[in-house]
């Protein structure tokens, strides 16, 4: 996603490329998957947020910092938003990306069904007066871990609490109690830099849209951080919704386009929750669960199984149901190196380099470009490129597929139409996803 927008290098430069994928603490190496970035990125979430904030600051986006949504009311024409500092805003649409305790979701009256917490954890960074044991320790109810931070004397901890606690910020006494319950000592914990709490609660919004109010990220789905899928899922929610919302707000597409957001992303969120429940069940420390996870780990060493779960956990296998047809339909467009004309010369371009402006992309891969003239009425909205490509079409999990002669790619990178020596279905796909032709 970040590569499609032309900002991936700033994130890679700030982090460390490595294999971070796993299922119930069984590592999943994805280095042999057919993708340009066949790895994860070790980069603290706060650093990711800083990079995103810097990028947003470079765009023409109005920001209101340091305020919360205090309430909302919507009508047929828009949404009135009350801010915590007393100001009010009027918007065509409102997207709640305000976390698991989302005030937008609650104000919109959207149900949040799911599973209550069976275990809660304290996560903190602090100093100790005596050195604690470093490493991971499985307990009867979950995973605990203590580790030093660089070459400092500070410690970062993830600890199962003696009983399920609620509230976002634990006290230092609760941190000490969790240390004693797991390790028999609090190691003189003091000087807490930060402290927080999470649980294995798993919930999903009943709908991602009510009228002009929509939800994305943790406001739409929460779960244990096991497996590390929350950030990935939330970013892909936003990328799926952003271009659709822009087209509707600008009058390019009818409001019904927003219904495809829930239709496509709600099943993805449901699968993430299911995978998360399976992992949290496998990470309990009793002997039966450890035996089950041992055998799961053995199965995940089988190359085909490892690749399937690696693609699933990295969400490289996502497929939106856009109907029957070519295996590429509804899947992510691979970042191929295609040959395009540059004046009298031929140059090699990456597909993702053609998508930085978040516009739809039509690739005519016959090299002739005859198809592009047929869709001239969409020229102001759709980037049209005549290209050639002679390499393999290799998709995660799916494998080698027949080469198409043309593809229509949505701004979120998913393929909306595939041509195989015919333009049949192209115009209906253009109208469905990118509005009526300008000549209609």
């Amino acid at each position: 996603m970040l590569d499609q927008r032309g900002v991936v290098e700033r994130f890679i430069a700030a982090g460390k490329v490595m294999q971070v994928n796993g299922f119930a603490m069984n590592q999943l190496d994805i280095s042999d998957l057919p993708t340009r970035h066949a790895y994860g990125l070790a980069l603290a979430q706060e650093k990711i947020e800083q990079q995103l904030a810097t990028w947003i600051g470079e765009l023409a986006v109005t920001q209101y910092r340091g305020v919360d949504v205090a309430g909302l009311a919507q009508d047929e024409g828009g949404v009135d938003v009350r801010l915590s500092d007393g100001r009010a805003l009027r918007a065509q649409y409102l997207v709640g990306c305000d976390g698991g305790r989302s005030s937008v979701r609650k104000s919109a009256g959207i149900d949040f069904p799911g599973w209550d917490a069976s275990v809660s954890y304290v996560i903190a960074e602090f100093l100790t007066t005596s050195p604690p044991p470093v490493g991971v320790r499985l307990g009867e109810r979950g995973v605990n871990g203590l580790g030093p931070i660089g070459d400092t004397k500070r410690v970062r901890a993830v600890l199962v609490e003696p009983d399920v606690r609620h509230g976002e910020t634990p006290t230092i006494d609760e941190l000490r109690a969790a240390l004693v319950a797991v390790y028999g000592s609090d190691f003189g914990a003091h000087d807490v830099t930060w402290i927080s709490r999470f649980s294995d609660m798993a919930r999903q919004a009943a709908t991602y849209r009510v009228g002009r109010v929509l939800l994305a990220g943790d406001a739409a789905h929460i779960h244990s951080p096991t497996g590390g899928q929350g950030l990935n899922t939330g970013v892909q929610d936003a990328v799926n919704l952003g271009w659709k919302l822009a087209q509707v707000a600008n009058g390019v597409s009818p409001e019904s386009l927003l219904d495809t957001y829930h239709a496509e992303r709600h099943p993805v969120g449901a699968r993430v929750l299911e995978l998360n429940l399976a992992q949290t069940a496998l990470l309990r420390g009793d002997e039966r669960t450890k035996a089950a996870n041992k055998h799961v780990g053995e199965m995940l060493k089988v190359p085909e199984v490892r690749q399937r779960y690696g693609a699933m956990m990295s969400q490289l296998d996502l497929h939106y149901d856009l109907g029957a047809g070519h295996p590429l339909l509804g899947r992510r467009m691979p970042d191929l190196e295609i040959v395009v004309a540059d004046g009298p010369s031929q140059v090699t371009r990456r597909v993702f380099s053609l998508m930085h402006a978040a516009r739809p992309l039509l690739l005519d891969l016959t090299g002739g470009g005859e198809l592009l003239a047929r869709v001239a009425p969409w020229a102001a909205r759709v980037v049209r490129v005549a290209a050639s490509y002679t390499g393999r079409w290799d998709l995660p999990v799916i494998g080698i597929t027949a080469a198409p002669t043309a593809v229509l790619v949505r701004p979120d990178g998913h393929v909306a139409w595939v041509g195989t020596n015919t333009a049949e279905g192209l115009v209906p796909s253009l109208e469905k996803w990118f509005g009526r032709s300008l000549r209609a």
Side-chain angles (χ1 to χ4, degrees), residues 4 30 32 42 82 88 113 150 167 218 281 291 297 310 319 337 374 415 429 431:
Q4 285 174 195
I30 63 170
D32 57 353
R82 288 189 295 107
D218 289 355
H319 175 231
E337 292 190 352
R374 300 189 191 183
V415 175
S429 292
E431 291 179 339

Side-chain angles (χ1 to χ4, degrees), residues 66-86:
V67 292
D68 299 320
V69 172
L72 63 92
Q74 63 172 311
D75 52 41
E76 292 184 0
V79 186
D80 292 308
V81 184
R82 288 189 295 107
L83 301 180
S84 57
D85 62 0

